[in-house]
Amino acid sequence: MRSLIRKYYSIKETQGIILSEKKSSIDAGLRALEKHRSELEKYCEKNPIFKYSLSPLELVQAPLSAMRMSLAGMEADVGPMAAVAGVLADLSVRQC
């Protein structure tokens, strides 16, 4: 069994650890995280209600991260930002 590589990261308010057997997978995950976080930040600047809403919001056109956050918020009857950590983690892991 190969040992896991552990990479701690901090991107503004986003902090975490990625574990993988391959450095290339960690790099891909970090690139995906940076991409999705950047897209989300730009979307929030243009649509501040998304960032501050405490109620679910139905979106028609938005970055993938915002769309997934919106769906999670609707399922849980909360604002979309309640799902930010989980959605960003999921999107970054899918690239690993």
Side-chain angles (χ1 to χ4, degrees):
M1 183 172 136
R2 296 174 61 181
S3 62
L4 293 176
I5 301 167
R6 183 177 305 219
K7 173 70 175 178
Y8 295 89
Y9 64 87
S10 180
I11 304 169
K12 297 184 182 180
E13 301 88 359
T14 305
Q15 300 171 7
I17 304 168
I18 297 179
L19 300 168
S20 178
E21 293 179 344
K22 298 187 284 183
K23 184 179 181 316
S24 61
S25 294
I26 291 174
D27 294 341
L30 287 173
R31 281 192 305 275
L33 178 63
E34 289 171 347
K35 172 188 173 263
H36 289 292
R37 183 183 164 95
S38 175
E39 290 174 352
L40 185 59
E41 286 175 348
K42 290 174 186 169
Y43 183 75
C44 287
E45 286 176 15
K46 292 179 182 174
N47 303 282
I49 191 155
F50 179 83
K51 186 174 181 179
Y52 296 110
S53 178
L54 300 177
S55 302
L57 295 175
E58 187 172 347
L59 303 180
V60 177
Q61 187 176 11
L64 179 59
S65 56
M67 295 297 286
R68 289 195 178 176
M69 289 166 61
S70 174
L71 291 173
M74 286 190 278
E75 285 187 35
D77 197 30
V78 296
M81 290 302 286
V84 67
V87 167
L88 288 177
D90 183 61
L91 290 171
S92 66
V93 168
R94 290 180 184 273
Q95 296 300 311
C96 293

